[in-house]
Amino acid sequence: MSILVYAETWDGKFKKPSFEAMTYAFELAKTANDTVTAVVIGPASEDELKRAGEYGCSKVLHANDSKFVSFCPSAYTAVLADCATSENAKTIVFSQTYSGKSVAPRLAAKLKAGLVSGAISLPSSSEPFVVRKKCFSGKGFTDVQVSSDIKIIAVFPNAHHIAANSVSVTIQTINPAIADALFNTKVNEVKKTSGKIVLTEAEIVVSAGRGMKGPENWGMIEELADALGAATACSKPVADMGWRPHHEHVGQTGITISPNLYIAIGISGAIQHLAGISSSKVIVAINSDKEAPFFKIADYGIVGDAFQIVPKLTEAVKQLKSSH
Amino acid sequence: MKFLVCISHVPDTTTRITFTPDGKAFNTAGVQFIINPYDEMALTRALELKETLGGTVTIINVGPLATEPTLRKALAIGADEAIRINAEPTDALFVAEEIAVIAKNEKFDIVFGGRESIDYNGAQVMGMIAEFMEIPSVVIATKLDVVGTTATLEREIDGGKEIVSVNLPFVVSAQKDFAEPRIPNMRGIMSARIKSLKVVEPTNTLKPTSSVAFQTPPPKSECKMISPEHPEELIQLLHTEAKII
Ligand SMILES: Cc1cc2nc3c(=O)[nH]c(=O)nc-3n(C[C@H](O)[C@H](O)[C@H](O)COP(=O)(O)OP(=O)(O)OC[C@H]3O[C@@H](n4cnc5c(N)ncnc54)[C@H](O)[C@@H]3O)c2cc1C
Ligand SMILES: Nc1ncnc2c1ncn2[C@@H]1O[C@H](COP(=O)(O)O)[C@@H](O)[C@H]1O
């Protein structure tokens, strides 16, 4: 028996959330005296696959056929179901990324397994099996009990730490017989939003709103983000006015993120904006209006003019980094 | 063409979320319910496609009697008919299997839904429906166009977008940009009252998950204010106190 983890790759490299999922699976396996097997679908080098061993996976099953180069939820589901059977896995760990959301529910239906999506901690008990997740867009938590024989957990990105747990790893190429009919989604084009940090995976996000007055003033926002190694985001009106690309818009109608640090600059803190960011670990608000609602949920705040403050912050970050 | 739109009934986005004193359930007292915002986008796109390609738009919900006003609202927006499966939607697999059986028997061409319901944030049901029906699924889609029996979609992925194509029938879940929701007009509201709302009893029993306890997050501690004269103190605090940079 082992715990299975779906280790996603991007351009042949493990994604950051994959290491979170591996760490989660390893910690779960430790309490149950199990081992962790990672499933990798699509191209990845031997050296990259070996890295799974550094995060606690003792086996890697690699479906490397050229058919798997482009993402297809039905076919990927079938591969994972095959691996779950061959490994006699009772627990399967995903990361709640876009691909995780495409595959985990299908696998749950195929295996008649209960799925906890967006889990934020390890199970609080194994009998009964109970895992905590967020609900109501971060305005609540719920403990979900899973009664099926096979249990699937999709871990919320950034919710679980990454830890090095070096074990010896064997890499096995697999060639599951997947019916042609399951390759039913054709990927025509992949449009990457530049080589920058992926917003949904970023640990630090610098976000700005209408208080920045115009797109020409985003230079200082980007400089602060660069200094911090952060991704950039924005409020809805900023994207609607075309000051920033739409993929940066966070909130109820945009994307939901939960970085370790969210810095909101010149954003009022409307409830629809907060819906997308309220589960960030630490929130900083910078706003010229001391009554701005953002200060109600922020951990740190500065009341003042962003145009004065932001360049000083960038300077302070650079100094801090150069002194370490 | 036959379009099916899965509608979930959720608390209004501005609702203050509270739980019953025993922590076992969501406190619905005084809560306003709405069509899940992503489902409304899905419904709108289905109606647009019906206008160009012809066909019918059916909405479906797994829920108790209390969801009917929400379904009437979807009928007022323009759906032709509604089906309610009379059961509490406590488990995603159960909801999906109920919908999948009907969608398969009645040969729907596209099954629409939202990227996630804003109450339990599962993002589960649509993918599960697709697997039960053994058809393709494209989740978190921002665009959908249909030509003949092929659909082309744009969907979000981590760090970008993907353009994919699938053959009918398939399942799609809507993300913002999928369509601009419509406001029902008076004629819609009047005709919604007389449109068919069929109630059927559930036929499946598989329910592997249940929410056994709820909690609201601990109250936030006071926001620590830093002088605008010394923004560098913020960076120091983030380094030494919060330990995140
Ligand atoms: C159904 C619905 C869905 C929505 N979804 C979203 C969503 O997903 N995401 C989202 O962001 N919004 C969303 N909104 C819009 C939301 O309600 C707010 O209108 C929006 O978030 C406001 O954006 P803002 O804070 O950038 O602008 P404003 O509200 O105009 O705030 C600008 C802020 O900048 C401050 N400021 C001005 N000058 C300076 C300066 N020099 N230095 C520092 N601060 C300064 C001001 O004090 C003010 O607080 C939605 C609204 C609706 C109705
Ligand atoms: N009880 C329900 N009845 C009908 N459709 C539902 C129900 N619950 C969820 N859905 C659909 O599935 C989508 C994803 O929901 P969820 O998996 O619960 O996040 C929703 O946006 C709806 O379109």
Side-chain angles (χ1 to χ4, degrees), chain A residues 134-148:
Chain A
K134 278 182 224 168
C135 57
F136 297 101
S137 309
K139 289 192 264 181
F141 296 111
T142 179
D143 292 326
V144 182
Q145 185 171 324
V146 188
S147 57
S148 47

Side-chain angles (χ1 to χ4, degrees), chain A residues 181-202:
Chain A
L182 292 181
F183 291 90
N184 54 20
T185 308
K186 194 167 141 253
V187 177
N188 305 328
E189 190 188 342
V190 178
K191 299 191 216 169
K192 291 184 197 173
T193 40
S194 78
K196 285 209 203 125
I197 299 161
V198 178
L199 184 51
T200 47
E201 294 173 7

Side-chain angles (χ1 to χ4, degrees), chain A residues 36-87:
Chain A
V36 180
T37 299
V39 179
V40 178
I41 308 177
S45 68
E46 175 102 12
D47 278 347
E48 185 64 18
L49 294 173
K50 279 190 186 140
R51 294 186 68 200
E54 295 165 29
Y55 297 91
C57 303
S58 23
K59 196 197 274 187
V60 175
L61 300 176
H62 185 203
N64 193 26
D65 195 279
S66 58
K67 305 187 287 223
F68 297 119
V69 168
S70 69
F71 182 68
C72 173
S74 311
Y76 277 37
T77 299
V79 173
L80 282 154
D82 240 47
C83 296
T85 310
S86 70
E87 296 295 305

Side-chain angles (χ1 to χ4, degrees), chain B residues 127-187:
Chain B
M128 289 171 171
I129 293 174
E131 187 66 27
F132 281 128
M133 295 178 72
E134 301 179 330
I135 60 176
S137 52
V138 181
V139 299
I140 321 185
T142 44
K143 277 190 195 130
L144 162 64
D145 286 299
V146 181
V147 178
T149 57
T150 307
T152 304
L153 301 102
E154 180 183 81
R155 70 173 196 102
E156 285 186 359
I157 56 174
D158 295 286
K161 298 248 168 120
E162 209 171 67
I163 313 289
V164 302
S165 46
V166 293
N167 287 332
L168 271 48
F170 67 94
V171 170
V172 59
S173 82
Q175 160 72 326
K176 57 151 183 138
D177 295 346
F178 198 68
E180 206 51 60
R182 296 179 177 180
I183 307 203
N185 58 23
M186 209 51 209
R187 222 181 89 229

